[in-house]
Each structure stands twice: as C-alpha cells, then as structure tokens.
Amino acid sequence: MKLNLFYAALLSPALLYLSACGNDASDSSGANRTPPQAEDGHDDHEDGSDEEHESHDEADGDDHEGHEEGGGHTEHEGEGGDHVELTAEEAEAAGIRTGRAQTGAVSGQLELPAEIRFDADRVARVSPQVEGTVAQLYAGEGDIVKAGATLARLTSRELAGLKADYLNALSAERLAQAELEREENLWEQKITAEADLQSARAAFAAANAGREAAENRLHAIGIGHGTLDKLNEAADGSLAQAYVTAPLAGEVIQRSVSLGETVSAGGAPIFVIIDDSVVWADIAVYKEDLGKVSEGQTVTFQQEDGRVLAEGTISNVLPVINEASRTATARVIVDNAEHRLKPGQFVTARIDTGEGRPVVRVPSDAIVSVEDRMSVFVPTDDGFEPREVRTGDSARGYTEIISGLEADEAFVAEGAFTLKAQLEKDAFGDGHAH
C-alpha cells in the first residue's frame, strides 16, 4: 500500500504537465483553425490570384507573340526586299552568269548634244542683179543644179539701158580712135597743127574711159566679155534679157518668185541653193567640259537609237560662250556624201577624250537601278543580293566602278535585269514597294 502511494506521488507531476501541454495544443489548434467564412474568402482570393496570374501569363504571351511578330517583320524588312533566293541550277536556267570585276581602261568619252548645220561656204542665196520682171523659170525646189545653170530669165529695162550705154560708148571710142589715127597721119605729113593732134588724143582718151565705165557696169551685174563681144549682133529685144544663174552646184531648197513677178537688185533672195555633201556639226560644250575638248579629237555622231551616222574630228573650238545656253561650240566638218545628215537635225556627239586610266570596270548591262540606287548583284550563299555602287565613265560597253565593288570580286555579269524583276516581284508579293 505504501509502495502504491509512493508511485502515485511520483506520477502526479507528470500527469499535470501532460494535461497542461494538451490544453496548449488544443488552443493552438483552435487559434490556427480558420473559420469557414474566412476559409471561403481565402479560397476566393486564391482563385483571383490564379486568374490574375493566368491573365498575366496570357498578356505575356500576347506580348511575346507581338514581339516575335515585330521581330519577324523587322527581320523581313532587313532582308526580304534585298535578296533573291536561287539555287545554282535555277540561276543557270534563268541565264544568270557571274564573273569577276576586272581592271581595265575605260576611255574617257563625253556625250554632248550637237546640231547639224549648213557649211556656210556651200550655201548660195541668189538674188537678181538688175531690176526686172520674171519671164521664165527653169528650176524649182528640190531640183539639182550645176554651177552656172540658168535658174530664171528676166526682162529688164535697166539692163537694156546699160547695154545701150555700152554700145554708145563703144561707138564713141571707135570714132575717137579713127580721128586720132587720122590726125597722127596728117601730123606726120606736116599738114595738121599740133593742137589738133592733141585734141584728138584727148577725145580718144575720154571715149576710152567712157567705154570702160559702161563695160564695168555690165561686168558688175554678171555680164562677161563673151556677151559683150556679141552685143552688136544681138537680135532685137535681146538686150533686155537678164539671166539668173546658179553660183554653185547643189539642190534648190527655196524659190520665192513666180512668173510675172517684179524683182529688184539687192532684194530678198529668189533662190536658195545648198551643197550638203559637206556639213557642219556644232557640238554644245558645257563650260565644265571645256578643258576636256580640243582640236583633233575623234567624234562619233549617233541617233537616239544608237545608230552611227558619221564620224569626224574637231576642226576648231570657238572661243565664245553663248550667253543664253552657257555653252561653247566645237565644230566638226563632216563628209556627208551619202546625205545621211540633214541640216537642222539634232544628234548625239560622243567625243573620245583619249586613252582612259586603269579602273575597275564591269559590263554596263550589269548595272541596274534598285530603289533609285545604281547597283550590281553579287552572289550569296543561297542566291543573290544587290549592292550599291558608284559609277564613273562609260565607253564601249563598260562602265567604271568608283566604289562598291573591288577588283576580282564576284558579281552578276549577265542576268541583272532578270534578278531585278524577280526582286520587284517578291517585294510586291510581300507588300513592300521597291
């Protein structure tokens, strides 16, 4: 019994301690236990947080997609419009050939406008030398005439008067000469006085001067000795006949009179004749190009379609600059025996300014305009892309490359226009304007 009490005394504190711990645990559990309403609010909060998180994720996704789309568009803009994808087989089938830029001479050439003009020494503006009425016409516009050919016949009272004056002066001279010979014969026989001899000599001198004056007036209007020698034998009415003749061989390009029309000496020309077997080509040289142009340089004249019309050399460079056009004139005397050049025609003059310096050059057809920039196509790993270049002189099918392409660098020598067309087609399909 005492032993049982002893054990009870020992166990009592332990039981009290365990009981207290149990109460503490229960209170703690109750404090931490959330009421049902509070738990529902917490659940709502958790659901809202999840929705916000999902919304945030969707927004992030949308932003990410937009970023990817924007990034893809930027990448497309960077390469889509400036690249043509072609395999080697496709390029060969399309006729695209590559080559390497070479160093060579591009002879300096100037391309300037020129106008074909008449050779001033081969143009005749024919006017009558006496006043008269047109009685007959022998030539019209478009006729080819020889030098000395008769163009028209006039009836001229003025000419008739001049011829009559000549005949009178000739008669007076002959009479005075006969009187002088008679006086000299009498003087030798000591029959006449010296005063009579001197008077006869003076009369003859005056008559001679009068005849020469009348003759010179006829010479001034084109009457030669052959006509004068036959005047005494001329038929009635023929003294009034005046003839207009061609001073040079050529083509009549203008006739401005009709039958019965009255014309006057020194008036407007009634015929214009040209000889266009030789013409002038006047080249308009801009002042910045004057230092490149000199006498003796070779010039080729071409039509707009590139057909060569003639060649020649610069005969002189006129030392005057036109105030209106601010250009000087370089003149070429061109042989035009085939009449391919027409006075008044405008042509292109290509002046060879000498041997060109060594430069990087490519065929002119290899250069195309891409987005308003002169470019050549260069090969890439999967196709071709345009590269902007700066060009210089062009001659004989080659163009100088100042920058943008180095010597021995690969480029598209044939088929550049095909690639440009494909580039524009791709750009149009992508909605980009090139």
Side-chain angles (χ1 to χ4, degrees):
M1 183 70 174
K2 291 180 179 179
L3 183 59
N4 292 334
L5 292 173
F6 174 75
Y7 285 120
L10 291 175
L11 293 174
S12 295
L15 292 172
L16 292 174
Y17 176 77
L18 290 173
S19 176
C21 287
N23 292 332
D24 292 340
S26 176
D27 294 338
S28 175
S29 175
N32 292 332
R33 185 180 297 113
T34 304
Q37 183 177 2
E39 288 179 358
D40 293 338
H42 181 69
D43 292 339
D44 293 341
H45 174 72
E46 289 180 351
D47 293 340
S49 298
D50 292 340
E51 290 176 358
E52 289 178 359
H53 182 70
E54 289 176 358
S55 175
H56 178 70
D57 289 342
E58 290 176 357
D60 289 344
D62 292 340
D63 292 343
H64 183 65
E65 288 180 358
H67 176 70
E68 287 181 349
E69 290 178 358
H73 181 69
T74 302
E75 182 180 359
H76 176 71
E77 287 183 347
E79 69 178 46
D82 296 331
H83 186 265
V84 178
E85 292 187 5
L86 285 177
T87 64
E89 293 77 10
E90 291 172 339
E92 183 176 0
I96 297 170
R97 304 288 183 271
T98 60
R100 294 196 173 273
Q102 298 179 351
T103 300
V106 176
S107 61
Q109 279 196 343
L110 285 177
E111 185 174 305
L112 299 172
E115 181 179 1
I116 306 302
R117 300 182 183 273
F118 295 118
D119 183 339
D121 297 331
R122 297 172 182 266
V123 179
R125 304 180 186 278
V126 185
S127 298
Q129 295 178 315
V130 293
E131 183 177 348
T133 302
V134 178
Q136 191 170 0
L137 293 168
Y138 299 100
E141 294 177 355
D143 291 343
I144 304 299
V145 297
K146 297 181 179 180
T150 301
L151 303 176
R153 178 174 61 86
L154 309 179
T155 301
S156 173
R157 288 181 294 177
E158 179 185 359
L159 179 60
L162 290 175
K163 289 181 177 179
D165 292 341
Y166 171 76
L167 291 176
N168 291 334
L170 182 60
S171 297
E173 181 188 33
R174 289 174 178 174
L175 181 60
Q177 184 178 12
E179 181 64 21
L180 176 58
E181 291 175 354
R182 189 181 72 84
E183 288 294 333
E184 287 177 343
N185 188 36
L186 293 175
W187 171 256
E188 291 176 357
Q189 298 177 13
K190 306 297 184 181
I191 298 176
T192 187
E194 184 178 0
D196 293 337
L197 176 59
Q198 294 299 330
S199 178
R201 287 176 176 173
F204 174 74
N208 180 261
R211 192 268 310 164
E212 289 184 351
E215 181 178 340
N216 288 333
R217 285 193 292 270
L218 289 172
H219 286 330
I221 61 174
I223 305 299
H225 286 285
T227 301
L228 294 179
D229 294 340
K230 299 177 181 179
L231 283 182
N232 285 328
E233 303 173 358
D236 292 342
S238 62
L239 294 183
Q241 304 302 312
Y243 295 92
V244 180
T245 58
L248 55 78
E251 180 179 356
V252 178
I253 64 168
Q254 181 180 338
R255 191 188 77 182
S256 57
V257 293
S258 302
L259 290 174
E261 187 172 346
T262 300
V263 295
S264 59
I270 60 175
F271 291 93
V272 177
I273 303 171
I274 64 164
D275 174 11
D276 63 347
S277 61
V278 176
V279 294
W280 288 349
D282 284 352
I283 305 171
V285 183
Y286 305 109
K287 59 182 181 180
E288 59 267 21
D289 295 326
L290 277 175
K292 304 176 184 178
V293 178
S294 60
E295 296 180 7
Q297 290 176 332
T298 301
V299 183
T300 301
F301 297 100
Q302 297 179 341
Q303 284 185 332
E304 293 182 356
D305 59 4
R307 185 167 64 94
V308 176
L309 297 174
E311 293 183 353
T313 58
I314 296 177
S315 60
N316 55 53
V317 180
L318 303 184
V320 179
I321 294 180
N322 185 284
E323 294 183 359
S325 63
R326 307 305 300 167
T327 59
T329 299
R331 179 163 294 161
V332 180
I333 299 177
V334 184
D335 183 7
N336 191 39
E338 298 180 0
H339 306 286
R340 299 174 68 182
L341 297 174
K342 305 297 182 182
Q345 179 182 6
F346 289 93
V347 296
T348 299
R350 296 183 181 273
I351 305 175
D352 189 351
T353 58
E355 294 297 329
R357 63 193 184 284
V359 296
V360 177
R361 67 179 190 177
V362 299
S364 299
D365 291 341
I367 302 173
V368 294
S369 176
V370 178
E371 296 182 349
D372 297 328
R373 295 190 295 267
M374 302 309 295
S375 307
V376 297
F377 280 92
V378 296
T380 62
D381 292 339
D382 58 351
F384 303 91
E385 66 180 7
R387 180 186 297 176
E388 183 178 359
V389 293
R390 182 183 170 198
T391 60
D393 293 333
S394 296
R396 298 179 176 87
Y398 286 91
T399 297
E400 173 189 1
I401 301 298
I402 298 176
S403 63
L405 192 69
E406 302 296 331
D408 202 39
E409 191 172 357
F411 71 100
V412 174
E414 298 180 17
F417 287 96
T418 301
L419 291 175
K420 177 184 176 181
Q422 184 62 40
L423 190 68
E424 292 175 345
K425 178 181 177 182
D426 293 345
F428 180 78
D430 291 340
H432 295 278
H434 289 278

